[in-house]
Amino acid sequence: MVLLNVQFKEKDEDVRGRRWNFQDKSNLISLFEIKKGFARGGQYHKNNVIHILVLGKVEYRKENVITHKEEIQFLESPSITYLPPQTSDLIIALEDSIMIGVYPKEITNTFYQKHSQIVKEKIRIGSN
């Protein structure tokens, strides 16, 4: 993978931490924080996604949205994992963490209700 002509797209922040989005001609590249106890994810894609844990520890759940087969990984930095097509991710920070995600550009975002609800609930109740 070669990242050429990467341009800054946007920055946002919520209780989970900050996120900076960049793009090149075919990918969205996201550098994001996840504060301890919070979660990110809940989407699935048509193509492979790469996640790089730069700092921290996370519980990384992958669930195929068609077969509902689930895999749970516990990652410590530095590490890299791949999210296959049609598989939702749920990333829960076990300590303050920083990750990079490389997502192929897609026309729409597709959310997986099971994981999206967990992300929203953790935002609602805080990191406890």
Side-chain angles (χ1 to χ4, degrees):
M1 172 182 61
V2 177
L3 301 176
L4 300 175
N5 295 323
V6 175
Q7 298 176 351
F8 176 74
K9 186 175 178 182
E10 64 187 350
K11 175 187 173 190
D12 62 62
E13 184 173 359
D14 61 26
V15 295
R16 300 171 292 175
R18 295 170 289 187
R19 181 175 61 177
W20 298 265
N21 290 320
F22 303 84
Q23 64 183 17
D24 65 13
K25 72 177 192 173
S26 56
N27 295 294
L28 172 69
I29 301 102
S30 185
L31 171 65
F32 56 93
E33 299 172 321
I34 314 173
K35 293 178 183 174
K36 181 180 178 179
F38 286 98
R40 289 194 182 267
Q43 294 182 347
Y44 62 96
H45 305 272
K46 294 178 185 176
N47 299 292
N48 285 310
V49 170
I50 301 168
H51 279 124
I52 303 162
L53 179 60
V54 178
L55 181 71
K57 294 179 185 178
V58 299
E59 176 182 328
Y60 192 107
R61 297 183 191 179
K62 302 175 185 179
E63 186 169 336
N64 183 289
V65 300
I66 298 165
T67 66
H68 301 289
K69 181 180 177 193
E70 183 178 43
E71 175 187 342
I72 300 173
Q73 299 175 302
F74 292 90
L75 305 176
E76 293 186 21
S77 63
S79 61
I80 187 168
T81 191
Y82 299 90
L83 187 67
Q86 306 304 322
T87 303
S88 176
D89 62 340
L90 178 66
I91 308 166
I92 302 169
L94 303 175
E95 61 185 42
D96 289 348
S97 299
I98 297 174
M99 295 188 77
I100 298 170
V102 181
Y103 312 89
K105 285 186 183 174
E106 295 179 356
I107 295 172
T108 60
N109 291 331
T110 312
F111 291 92
Y112 185 51
Q113 186 70 21
K114 176 181 173 182
H115 286 168
S116 293
Q117 285 180 323
I118 294 168
V119 170
K120 290 175 185 173
E121 182 67 9
K122 286 189 172 290
I123 290 171
R124 188 184 71 75
I125 64 172
S127 65
N128 296 330

